[in-house]
């Protein structure tokens, strides 16, 4: 069973940048497809970005495409989310997620597809 710990959240002004990191332990990291979800107050949890086991496939929500970049380092058991040009509507709790994947190139995009979740890290973007 994999444990996930997020870091890097905080308060930033609109137009600024943040880099979220997720450290995984307790499993074979390269066997898991990973994702970053976010949940704003009063809203459903939504996918921001996802990445395959190998890192060769990625997926971005339309609202973050071109501003966010997901990456992973299988040697360090980490997955990162670089967030640029942040907007107030990006304010949310961001969650790192993992799911075992049989194929190296598959990405998962739905909440129900992920078995493991971190505790979340708060990102607040002020206008």
């Amino acid at each position: 069973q994999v444990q996930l710990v997020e870091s890097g959240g905080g308060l930033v002004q609109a137009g600024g940048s943040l880099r979220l990191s997720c450290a995984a332990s307790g499993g074979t990291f390269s066997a898991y497809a990973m994702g970053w979800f976010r949940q704003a107050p009063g809203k459903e949890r939504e996918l921001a970005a996802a990445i395959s086991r190998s890192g060769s496939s990625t997926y971005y929500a339309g609202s973050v495409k071109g501003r966010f970049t997901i990456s992973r380092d299988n040697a360090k058991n980490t997955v990162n989310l670089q967030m640029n040009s942040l907007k107030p509507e990006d304010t949310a709790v961001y969650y790192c997620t993992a799911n075992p994947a049989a194929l190296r190139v598959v990405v998962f995009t739905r909440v129900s597809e992920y078995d493991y979740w971190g505790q979340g890290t708060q990102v607040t973007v002020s206008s």
Side-chain angles (χ1 to χ4, degrees):
Q1 184 170 350
V2 64
Q3 291 82 44
L4 305 171
V5 179
E6 303 97 335
S7 62
L11 173 64
V12 64
Q13 288 189 331
S17 298
L18 281 176
R19 183 178 178 85
L20 305 183
S21 293
C22 174
S25 61
T28 303
F29 183 69
S30 60
Y32 294 85
M34 305 295 294
W36 284 98
F37 282 75
R38 64 185 185 180
Q39 188 166 20
K43 295 188 176 181
E44 292 188 355
R45 194 168 294 190
E46 63 175 8
L47 178 71
I51 191 166
S52 62
R53 284 175 48 190
S54 65
S56 61
S57 299
T58 57
Y59 175 89
Y60 295 95
S63 57
V64 309
K65 193 174 293 184
R67 300 187 297 121
F68 291 11
T69 302
I70 189 170
S71 62
R72 65 186 296 160
D73 186 334
N74 285 347
K76 297 182 177 179
N77 292 359
T78 58
V79 60
N80 301 306
L81 186 67
Q82 178 67 42
M83 305 185 296
N84 299 329
S85 302
L86 283 161
K87 305 175 181 179
E89 50 263 45
D90 294 318
T91 295
V93 177
Y94 283 71
Y95 297 91
C96 177
T97 64
N99 192 55
L103 300 177
R104 290 171 52 83
V105 298
V106 71
V107 295
F108 300 110
T109 61
R110 294 178 290 184
V111 171
S112 60
E113 292 178 308
Y114 285 91
D115 290 339
Y116 304 102
W117 295 80
Q119 293 299 307
T121 185
Q122 177 70 46
V123 171
T124 304
V125 184
S126 63
S127 58

